[in-house]
Amino acid sequence: MSDWIGDTFTSEVGWNHLERLVDIGNRMTGSPGEREAMEATRDALDRVGARNVRIDPFEIQGWERGDSAVYAADTTQDCIALPRSPAGTASGELVDLGYGLPEEFDRDLSGKVVVVSTTVPDHYDRFIHRREKYYYAVEAGAAGFVFANHVPGQLPPTGSVGTADAPIGDIPAVGVSKEVGARLRRRFDGDEVTVDVTCEAPAAESGNVHAELGPDTDEEVLVTSHLDAHDIAEGAMDNGAGTAMVVEVARALAAREDELDTRVRFVCFGAEEVGLVGSEYEADRLGDARSDVKAIVNNDGVVAGRTLKLTTHGFDELEAAADTVAERFDHDVSTLPEQLPHSDHWPFVAHGVPAYMVGSEKEGRGRGWGHTHADTIEKLESRTLREQAILLTELTVELADADREIPHADPADIAAALEAEDQAKGMKVTGDWPF
């Protein structure tokens, strides 16, 4: 047992792959950089000994950034368009909706330009996703949407709008830094402002990278991540580190393949940042074979903090497996039983498939550096990737054990949990309610 631990703790494979991904630059969905990331990850999985390594392409609605600005009085305020914003110009009275909580949209906003924060109050019982705030604004009749970061440092945030049925959003949407947001609220609240977005939305192609280890069983454990990142940054935390983790875990499992009772399939999804398109494609491709997926370990937000945080979506057996590994290694691992419908595990969980969303414990709410220019590799540590790879390798072996039974859930129970957690209303307004 100690040999593979030592090899993983001294391995450079995962970190080298992270460097390879961030050095690509723009890995936006459908871009040449995303394709380069697919090919690099395919080749990395092949080098570590995984089998049946391949790329499964699919068509998507692309989106390419142009110029954008917020004009207020005789000033031009810096901003960036939110991906899948429509091109266009919207002028109207600026209305400050504070945090952008659901109740703050309970008014007629016809023709207004709204500005909302990227975060919610510490005492609020759940996080309100960007797209939820955007579609509350659309429903209330707003003409434009301004998304103001709560993290200082002149960091305008990005993040997509749009839905599966209507990939391009309804009203122009931009992100502004905390500083620009404060200036707009202080100087121009109640005045007319203009949001101007130029962009293109061509047809494009993305894809998922697949590889396998272990016996040729119908049942399988999926170890996943997403390859794409927003075009404004390296995407080190979101989600280069997750894909690097998949490669590192594959390397470690290749040395332990005879311990696997169940096939392990690695899937690095494309097009996550524009609405979980790659994972939706894979979940639909599997169809009834989703019942053969024993469990999913989805890496999205790993390495950003030393302690792993595993969201278990109410699957007690997943919590028990995580606790077993934490006790075996005398290492902290935190688990949360709630639903988290915002990464590539979700198209499977919605069908009752047991899945972890694997991230890291961090201070504060929200994405921090994520979805900004500041999502860069020097904020991460190689030792954290290696430590977490040891734990996640062991967890994958534990999940693949023939004696570890993990029943699927009734999708009605997943829906009931979302209702109980007050997440259903927001998912319905964004078109993400699958039940």
Side-chain angles (χ1 to χ4, degrees):
M1 184 174 183
S2 59
D3 287 347
W4 77 266
I5 294 174
D7 288 346
T8 304
F9 199 72
T10 57
S11 171
E12 296 181 353
V13 168
W15 189 261
N16 286 345
H17 191 60
L18 175 57
E19 290 185 340
R20 173 74 177 87
L21 293 176
V22 301
D23 289 347
I24 290 171
N26 176 11
R27 305 198 309 277
M28 188 70 180
T29 299
S31 69
E34 188 196 36
R35 179 69 194 190
E36 186 177 345
M38 286 183 226
E39 294 173 353
T41 300
R42 176 199 61 195
D43 295 347
L45 288 167
D46 183 63
R47 284 195 300 271
V48 299
R51 296 186 300 276
N52 198 16
V53 183
R54 62 202 185 278
I55 295 173
D56 181 14
F58 53 86
E59 295 181 353
I60 58 155
Q61 174 66 67
W63 187 90
E64 296 175 359
R65 182 183 307 283
D67 296 325
S68 60
V70 177
Y71 301 107
D74 58 352
T75 72
T76 301
Q77 303 294 327
D78 290 337
C79 67
I80 58 174
L82 299 186
R84 295 197 165 181
S85 167
T89 300
S91 296
E93 177 189 343
L94 183 69
V95 178
D96 177 10
L97 294 182
Y99 289 105
L101 305 179
E103 55 269 25
E104 291 170 324
F105 291 91
D106 289 339
R107 66 181 86 178
D108 181 9
L109 294 170
S110 297
K112 312 295 187 185
V113 174
V114 301
V115 56
V116 302
S117 173
T118 54
T119 192
V120 298
D122 290 339
H123 60 79
Y124 204 70
D125 58 358
R126 70 180 181 92
F127 190 76
I128 310 296
H129 193 268
R130 166 193 68 258
R131 290 176 61 248
E132 184 176 347
K133 297 179 183 186
Y134 177 80
Y135 281 103
Y136 286 138
V138 170
E139 281 196 343
F145 182 81
V146 179
F147 195 48
N149 206 347
H150 69 288
V151 177
Q154 298 289 353
L155 297 170
T158 189
S160 68
V161 296
T163 67
D165 293 332
I168 301 302
D170 295 78
I171 60 176
V174 298
V176 300
S177 68
K178 179 176 182 178
E179 295 77 8
V180 169
R183 185 181 306 127
L184 288 171
R185 290 170 168 132
R186 177 175 62 84
R187 292 183 58 185
F188 303 111
D189 187 20
D191 294 347
E192 181 171 299
V193 301
T194 297
V195 174
D196 184 53
V197 172
T198 61
C199 59
E200 300 290 337
E205 183 179 88
S206 184
N208 298 331
V209 178
H210 298 256
E212 299 173 10
L213 283 170
D216 187 18
T217 56
D218 290 335
E219 189 174 58
E220 60 183 1
V221 173
L222 302 188
V223 178
T224 68
S225 69
H226 71 86
L227 287 153
D228 60 320
H230 282 287
D231 57 340
I232 64 168
E234 296 176 358
M237 289 177 277
D238 188 12
N239 186 39
T243 297
M245 184 65 73
V246 170
V247 171
E248 187 60 65
V249 169
R251 185 209 60 79
L253 286 175
R256 303 182 67 187
E257 192 170 13
D258 60 351
E259 299 178 51
L260 298 174
D261 297 335
T262 305
R263 176 174 58 190
V264 175
R265 184 155 61 92
F266 307 93
V267 190
C268 298
F269 298 109
E272 190 270 354
E273 295 289 7
V274 293
L276 316 184
V277 180
S279 49
E280 288 276 8
Y281 170 82
E282 176 63 11
D284 290 345
R285 186 191 70 81
L286 287 177
D288 292 342
R290 288 187 296 263
S291 62
D292 292 329
V293 178
K294 185 177 184 182
I296 298 173
V297 181
N298 180 43
N299 298 274
D300 192 351
V302 294
V303 191
R306 292 291 296 277
T307 300
L308 285 171
K309 180 172 70 174
L310 279 61
T311 303
T312 62
H313 305 95
F315 291 96
D316 294 340
E317 295 78 6
L318 293 184
E319 183 172 353
D323 289 344
T324 296
V325 170
E327 292 170 8
R328 187 174 295 159
F329 282 80
D330 191 23
H331 203 293
D332 288 341
V333 173
S334 69
T335 57
L336 295 171
E338 60 205 38
Q339 306 299 311
L340 184 56
H342 297 305
S343 187
D344 286 315
H345 56 279
W346 184 250
F348 300 89
V349 173
H351 289 281
V353 179
Y356 298 103
M357 162 66 172
V358 185
S360 308
E361 288 287 358
K362 299 182 295 182
E363 292 185 4
R365 259 177 143 159
R367 300 179 187 276
W369 305 117
H371 284 202
T372 75
H373 301 287
D375 182 0
T376 51
I377 194 171
E378 84 285 345
K379 298 179 179 69
L380 304 178
E381 294 186 337
S382 59
R383 66 172 181 175
T384 304
L385 191 154
R386 294 165 180 151
E387 288 174 359
Q388 293 181 354
I390 291 168
L391 296 172
L392 292 173
T393 299
E394 184 72 8
L395 179 61
T396 305
V397 173
E398 185 70 26
L399 297 172
D401 192 313
D403 294 331
R404 173 71 69 176
E405 296 184 1
I406 310 174
H408 283 217
D410 186 331
D413 292 335
I414 301 294
L418 289 165
E419 294 277 9
E421 294 170 12
D422 193 31
Q423 298 200 66
K425 179 183 177 183
M427 294 179 70
K428 291 172 183 175
V429 78
T430 59
D432 295 331
W433 186 251
F435 305 103

